[in-house]
């Protein structure tokens, strides 16, 4: 499906901001690495980053969130911590990289909070929206790729991955939940995509890796002319 692609945010902002979303085991990090390799070979400056985390302050909060240490204090507390981490990440890492004309590939961003805390965490949308506004201060992704596959398959992949890596770590706070909850999240991501077709694309992740990678590249390629040359970007940032 080919669509005309318009920049979703301020056309004047240099760089290109692409977020990757989806359930557990959807293959986001593998696909981000593959895309980054291709873009770098074409001469682009690429930053790979992730949430929760991606900046020193946010990485400090990551462990608290994923270990489940914050769970006892309720979903509002968790949502606030995700937002605090996001704000640090945006202001310390993402915005400066974009101003330098980089392509930023981010593993999870605002839609994960909308889905995990908002939909399956049952937080009221006004609260989530307020946190989002404060956390990102206008910095929305130009493109969001939602990697979609049945929850059961994603969870099986995630378990295989941790077995293969020899990890004895227990599933994190969010992986532990039931298949129904994961399936609800899948639907919530699809609903976000349906409600924002300019920013979001759904990628069928239930295919072999190379095919998914080609699909992703075909979604990103039309946006590459929007990436300002670094020199240009610096000029605009002055
Ligand atoms: P992580 O180990 O980074 O892995 P993956 O992206 O491969 O699942 O786990 C991040 C977890 O945090 C994941 O279960 C989703 C959750 N999360 C939220 O609940 N809200 C958020 O805003 C973000 C960014 C992540």
């Amino acid at each position: 499906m080919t669509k005309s692609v318009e920049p979703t945010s301020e056309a004047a902002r240099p760089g290109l901001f692409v977020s990757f979303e989806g359930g557990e085991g959807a293959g986001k990090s593998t696909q981000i690495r593959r895309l980054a390799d291709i873009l770098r070979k074409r001469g682009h400056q690429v930053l790979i980053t992730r949430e929760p985390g991606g900046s020193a302050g946010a990485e400090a909060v990551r462990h608290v969130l994923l270990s489940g240490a914050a769970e006892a204090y309720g979903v509002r507390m968790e949502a606030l911590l995700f937002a605090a981490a996001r704000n640090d990440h945006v202001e310390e890492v993402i915005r400066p990289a974009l101003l330098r004309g980089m392509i930023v590939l981010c593993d999870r961003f605002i839609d994960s909070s909308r889905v995990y805390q908002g939909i399956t965490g049952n937080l009221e949308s006004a609260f989530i929206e307020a946190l989002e506004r404060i956390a990102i201060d206008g910095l929305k992704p130009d493109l969001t790729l939602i990697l979609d596959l049945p929850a059961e398959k994603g969870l099986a992949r995630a378990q295989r991955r941790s077995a293969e890596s020899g990890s004895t770590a227990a599933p994190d706070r969010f992986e532990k939940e039931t298949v129904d909850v994961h399936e609800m999240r899948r639907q919530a991501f699809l609903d976000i995509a349906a409600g924002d077709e300019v920013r979001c694309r759904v990628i069928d992740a239930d295919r072999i890796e190379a095919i998914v990678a080609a699909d992703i590249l075909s979604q990103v390629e039309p946006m590459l002319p929007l990436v300002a040359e670094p020199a240009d970007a610096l000029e605009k940032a002055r």
Side-chain angles (χ1 to χ4, degrees):
M1 184 175 51
T2 315
K3 283 188 194 162
S4 70
V5 183
E6 305 269 327
T8 58
S9 42
E10 340 77 79
R13 168 160 70 55
L16 183 70
F17 181 18
V18 184
S19 62
F20 289 72
E21 299 277 5
E24 318 295 323
K28 296 187 303 309
S29 40
T30 306
Q31 291 297 338
I32 288 173
R33 273 196 307 274
R34 288 185 77 126
L35 178 63
D37 284 350
I38 295 171
L39 296 174
R40 284 179 181 137
K41 281 189 189 126
R42 294 186 185 180
H44 292 285
Q45 292 189 64
V46 180
L47 174 77
I48 294 181
T49 189
R50 66 161 180 194
E51 290 208 346
S55 64
E59 289 291 334
V61 177
R62 177 181 172 89
H63 177 70
V64 176
L65 285 163
L66 297 193
S67 66
E71 190 178 356
Y73 307 113
V75 64
R76 277 176 180 259
M77 173 83 156
E78 286 184 309
L80 280 156
L81 289 171
F82 275 112
R86 179 160 302 129
N87 183 250
D88 192 66
H89 185 210
V90 163
E91 300 307 344
E92 298 298 322
V93 173
I94 300 178
R95 204 188 301 273
L98 292 171
L99 284 175
R100 290 201 303 275
M102 295 183 84
I103 299 178
V104 176
L105 306 180
C106 189
D107 191 338
R108 297 193 182 280
F109 197 58
I110 47 175
D111 302 300
S112 283
S113 285
R114 291 182 186 182
V115 168
Y116 283 71
Q117 284 66 57
I119 303 298
T120 55
N122 274 320
L123 262 187
E124 62 275 31
S125 49
F127 188 78
I128 288 287
E129 281 159 22
L131 288 185
E132 181 175 310
R133 249 191 333 272
I134 291 164
I136 67 173
D137 194 17
L139 194 94
K140 277 220 175 142
D142 299 298
L143 178 68
T144 294
L145 298 169
I146 292 174
L147 273 56
D148 178 61
L149 89 168
E152 214 153 335
K153 286 194 180 176
L155 287 171
R157 272 198 207 171
Q159 278 157 10
R160 230 176 10 250
R161 182 179 59 196
S162 69
E164 279 164 14
S165 70
S167 164
T168 50
D172 73 33
R173 146 90 177 88
F174 299 96
E175 280 168 1
K176 276 191 315 214
E177 285 161 324
T178 63
V179 174
D180 292 1
V181 172
H182 288 283
E183 201 52 52
M184 202 189 292
R185 288 178 183 147
R186 178 192 188 195
Q187 192 51 52
F189 279 121
L190 294 176
D191 292 344
I192 289 173
D196 191 349
E197 291 191 342
V198 176
R199 176 173 66 91
C200 302
R201 307 278 184 283
V202 177
I203 304 288
D204 176 1
D206 195 8
R207 298 176 292 173
I208 59 170
E209 206 180 287
I211 304 277
V212 176
D215 194 358
I216 287 174
L217 183 62
S218 76
Q219 298 296 339
V220 174
E221 261 173 337
M223 305 194 84
L224 294 176
L226 302 174
V227 183
E229 291 299 316
D232 249 31
L234 280 177
E235 205 48 53
K236 280 188 196 141
R238 277 203 184 110

